[in-house]
Structure formats: structure tokens, C-alpha cells
């Protein structure tokens, strides 16, 4: 063991990544400056074609951010007041913010405590009018315009049952794949399964720009065309507006940088997956792993077991092609001693973060909807037990060892 020299580990080291690709990135940026085509330059269309290809989707439309990708998708299907949009409360704010901004009502349905993704059974119960929150909303399933499953931390939600429900009840599915570019579900790429796939190029994402950026994938020709018009104020041809859109284009400079980085994405994702496996092995060697059935009720009967143990993310069983490919945007552990672990990591200069400390159904801005914490108990429980540890392609073995030692120190003394 050679951890003596390590005295800090960042949550994410974008500088290390930049040092490896800086020549190519600088050249790409210089080329755009030389061309002076800052808005909708050729690099935007080139990146769109490459992302469409990468995500195995017929169309990809660049936009200004992942938040706008969600907003534009909802606009493309005319979402507005009176519409319900089903989603998870255990996600970044943008998922529900886009719904609320259009005057529609987000309906928060709880997560599967194992994957942290929306639980298809919850969705079914709501649609059948059997979910306890149905009476709160007096909801009619025919008012459900769309469902936004979020592929949290880089793992695709359980899409088959969700798509079956969408067929049966006739609503759109917008995949929030902001954290999951390149992830797979039964051999299919994130963003290619629902009606839309929404991606973010926020700098810390697996494919991050040097500023904001986003992309929408779709297999629907008509919706693709509408999205292209919506992102330029609804204008086509220029200065002729049949619909009201927004200004949400992907900058040419960002597209040029992302084109460079896309070439490395699969290699980086493979390295993230290796680091995740290595963490699992190190936690096992340190005898810190809780029994796997603790996943089922981590805030109830199994809470005690999680006081001096942790649960790593559950590895998708089987082969990535058949069963799934987690791309580990985050490596999130859970423990009933989360706050103790957090304090120790702070002390030991280990970067960490809580995604997310307040689930959306408990956010002040959604107070008028009338949710209580217990309406989505698995999300509430996750918000008090989860902690993201450092994960990035350049993370070293020694750094991982150091992180695991600190976790051990915090819960075993
Ligand atoms: C799940 C999720 N949805 C949406 C977004 C919004 O993306 P952006 O920051 O690019 O607007 C993010 C990331 O920030 C996210 O993690």
C-alpha cells in the first residue's frame, strides 16, 4: 500500500483531462475563431450528426443547455397548463423546473431504492388511479402529457415497463439523459428509447463542454423539425414566426470542443466503470459492505446494518450489451452514517457531494402542490443516506485507496 503521499482527492479533476487533450482543444477553438462563425457554424451540425450516431438516434438537435433540452422537448409536444408530467423527485431541479415553467404540473412518483431511478410500479399505480397521491390531484390519466424518467448517476431507468405504460395510456416519454450519455439499457443507448433524449454538456458531465450546452435526440422527423425551429425563436424562414420559440442554440465553440471530447468518451466511460469496480473491491476488502438485502429497506429494518457499513451502487448484472451499461457519472454510496462519513472526508480533503439533499417534492417552490416527505419515502431516505465519492477517468488506485480508508475511519474509528 502506497497511500502515504496522498493527502487529498478531488471529487472531479477536469484539469487532468484538459492537460491530456489541450492541443486538440486549442486547435478546435482557434479554427472557430478563424472562421468567425460563432452562431450555428458547421461544427454544430457536425457534432449533431456525431451525437445522433453515438446515441443511435436518427436526429440530434443542439441547444443551449440540458435544462433547455427538457424545456424544448416539452414545448415541442405543446405542454402547458392542465397537463400533468410524471417524474421522479430524486433528480436535479431542472427536470421539474422545465415542467413548471410551462405552467404544467409535475407529478412526483417515488424511486426504486436500489437504482435511485423512477419505480415503474409507482407510475402504474398512478395511472390506474390507485396511488395514494391520486386523490390529492384528483388526476385523470388522460391529463398525463408526458413522463420524464431520469437516468440518474449514469444508469438508465427501467425503460421497458415505462414504454409499455406510455403505449397503453398514450403519453410521451422524455428521457432525461443529462447524466447518462453512452449508458445502455438492454443493448439500447440512453436517449434512443423514448420520444426524446435530453443531454447536458455542463462542464462536469461525462461529456462536458467549456461552458453550457445541451442536445436533444429523437427518432420522430416532425418533432425534430419542430425542435430546430423552436430553438431559433420559432422562426422559419428567418424572421417569419409561425410559433413562439426561444433563443437556445449550442455555441459553435462549444460544439468544436465537444467534437474533440466525443472521440474519447467511450474510453473515459470504460475507465469510470473500472474505477467503480475497483471501489467495490476495496470496500469489500475493507469489510465495509452491508448485506445486499439492506438495499430493500435502508431506512427501515436495515438501517442498523447501514450504521457501520455502506452500500455501493449495485452493479448491473449480466453483460453490458444484454443488460445494461452504467457510465458512472457519479459513484454514490449509501450509509445511515452518511454525515459522519462526510465530516471525515472533509477533514481528509476528499471531494464529495450529496446528490440530492432535498428531493423535489420537498422543495419550497413546490410547496403549493401539497406533498409531504412521506409521499415519496424512498426518495426522502436516499436524500439522507447518499454520498457521491470521487470518480473520473484519471482517478488513481492510490487515490481510491485513500478514499476508502477515510470512509472506514469514519464509521469504524
Ligand atoms: C438530471 C439532470 N437533468 C438536467 C440537467 C440540466 O442540465 P444543464 O445544467 O446543462 O442545464 C442536469 C445537469 O445539470 C441533470 O443532472
Amino acid at each position: 500500500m502506497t497511500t502515504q503521499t496522498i493527502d487529498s482527492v478531488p471529487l472531479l479533476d477536469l484539469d487532468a483531462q484538459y492537460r491530456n487533450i489541450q492541443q486538440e482543444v486549442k486547435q478546435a477553438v482557434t479554427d472557430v475563431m478563424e472562421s468567425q462563425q460563432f452562431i450555428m457554424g458547421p461544427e454544430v451540425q457536425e457534432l449533431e450528426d456525431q451525437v445522433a450516431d453515438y446515441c443511435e438516434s436518427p436526429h440530434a438537435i443542439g441547444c443551449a443547455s440540458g435544462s433547455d433540452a427538457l424545456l424544448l422537448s416539452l414545448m415541442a409536444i405543446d405542454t402547458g397548463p392542465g397537463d400533468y408530467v410524471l417524474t421522479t423527485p430524486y433528480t436535479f431541479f431542472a427536470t421539474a423546473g422545465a415542467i413548471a415553467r410551462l405552467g404544467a404540473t409535475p407529478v412526483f412518483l417515488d424511486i426504486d431504492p436500489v437504482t435511485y431511478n423512477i419505480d415503474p410500479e409507482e407510475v402504474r399505480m398512478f395511472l390506474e388511479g390507485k396511488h395514494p397521491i391520486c386523490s390529492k390531484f384528483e388526476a385523470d390519466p388522460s391529463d398525463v402529457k408526458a413522463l420524464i424518467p431520469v437516468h440518474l448517476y449514469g444508469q438508465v431507468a427501467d425503460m421497458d415497463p415505462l414504454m409499455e405504460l406510455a403505449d397503453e395510456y398514450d403519453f410521451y416519454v422524455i428521457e432525461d439523459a443529462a447524466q447518462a450519455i453512452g449508458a445502455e439499457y438492454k443493448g439500447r443507448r440512453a436517449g434512443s428509447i423514448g420520444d426524446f433524449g435530453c443531454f447536458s454538456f455542463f462542464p462536469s458531465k461525462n461529456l462536458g463542454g467549456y461552458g453550457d450546452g445541451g442536445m436533444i435526440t429523437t427518432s420522430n422527423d416532425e418533432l425534430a423539425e419542430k425542435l430546430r425551429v423552436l430553438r431559433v425563436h420559432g422562426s422559419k424562414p428567418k424572421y417569419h414566426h409561425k410559433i413562439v420559440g426561444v433563443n437556445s442554440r449550442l455555441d459553435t465553440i462549444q460544439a468544436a470542443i465537444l467534437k474533440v471530447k466525443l472521440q474519447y468518451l467511450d474510453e473515459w466511460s470504460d475507465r469510470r466503470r473500472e474505477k467503480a469496480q475497483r471501489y467495490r473491491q476495496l470496500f469489500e476488502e475493507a469489510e465495509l459492505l452491508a448485506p445486499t438485502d439492506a438495499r430493500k429497506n435502508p431506512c427501515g429494518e436495515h438501517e442498523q446494518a447501514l450504521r457501520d457499513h455502506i452500500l455501493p451502487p449495485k452493479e448491473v448484472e449480466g453483460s453490458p450489451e444484454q443488460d445494461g451499461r452504467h457510465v458512472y457519472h457519479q459513484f454514490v454510496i449509501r450509509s445511515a452514517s452518511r454525515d459522519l462519513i462526510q465530516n471525515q472526508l472533509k477533514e481528509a480533503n476528499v471531494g464529495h457531494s450529496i446528490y440530492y439533499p432535498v428531493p423535489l417534492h420537498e422543495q419550497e417552490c413546490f410547496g403549493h402542490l401539497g406533498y409531504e416527505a412521506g409521499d415519496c419515502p424512498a426518495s426522502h431516505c436516499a436524500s439522507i443516506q447518499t454520498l457521491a465519492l470521487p470518480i473520473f477517468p484519471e482517478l488513481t488506485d492510490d487515490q481510491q485507496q485513500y478514499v476508502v480508508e477515510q470512509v472506514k475511519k469514519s464509521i469504524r474509528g
Side-chain angles (χ1 to χ4, degrees), residues 136-185:
K136 228 171 224 177
F137 287 98
E138 290 170 6
D140 175 350
S142 66
D143 291 334
V144 174
K145 184 85 174 191
L147 162 73
I148 310 185
V150 179
H151 306 327
L152 202 70
Y153 305 146
Q155 180 173 18
V156 181
D158 191 5
M159 292 303 290
D160 278 352
L162 296 175
M163 294 309 292
E164 277 164 28
L165 289 168
D167 270 355
E168 191 179 336
Y169 288 89
D170 194 25
F171 54 80
Y172 291 95
V173 176
I174 300 171
E175 295 175 64
D176 183 340
Q179 302 186 3
I181 190 160
E184 285 176 24
Y185 175 83

Side-chain angles (χ1 to χ4, degrees), residues 71-83 85 102 104 145-146 172 174 196 223 226 230 243-244:
L71 188 74
L72 288 163
S73 300
L74 287 165
M75 287 173 78
I77 54 170
D78 301 317
T79 308
D83 291 329
V85 180
L102 294 173
K145 184 85 174 191
Y172 291 95
I174 300 171
F196 304 88
L223 290 174
K226 193 164 175 190
L230 279 169
I243 50 174
V244 177

Side-chain angles (χ1 to χ4, degrees), residues 76-104:
I77 54 170
D78 301 317
T79 308
D83 291 329
Y84 290 114
V85 180
L86 314 180
T87 193
T88 158
Y90 201 57
T91 176
F92 180 60
F93 181 78
T95 314
I99 303 166
R101 276 178 65 192
L102 294 173

Side-chain angles (χ1 to χ4, degrees), residues 59-76:
H59 305 279
I61 298 100
C63 61
S65 66
S67 303
D68 274 6
L70 291 160
L71 188 74
L72 288 163
S73 300
L74 287 165
M75 287 173 78

Side-chain angles (χ1 to χ4, degrees), residues 4 16 69 77 80 201 210 212 215 260 270 289 315 387 393 402 407:
Q4 289 90 332
I77 54 170
F201 301 132
Y210 290 174
D212 279 310
M215 187 85 68
V260 170
D270 286 346
L289 293 185
E315 178 54 307
L387 190 65
Y402 180 77
V407 172

Side-chain angles (χ1 to χ4, degrees), residues 89-90 108-111 122 131 133 136 299 357-363 366-367 369-384:
Y90 201 57
F108 297 116
L109 297 170
D110 211 3
I111 55 168
E122 287 272 308
H131 196 289
I133 66 163
K136 228 171 224 177
C299 281
V358 184
L360 299 187
H361 70 294
E362 297 175 47
Q363 292 285 352
F366 293 130
L369 297 176
Y371 285 88
E372 286 155 46
D375 287 330
C376 299
S379 301
H380 180 78
C381 173
S383 74
I384 55 178

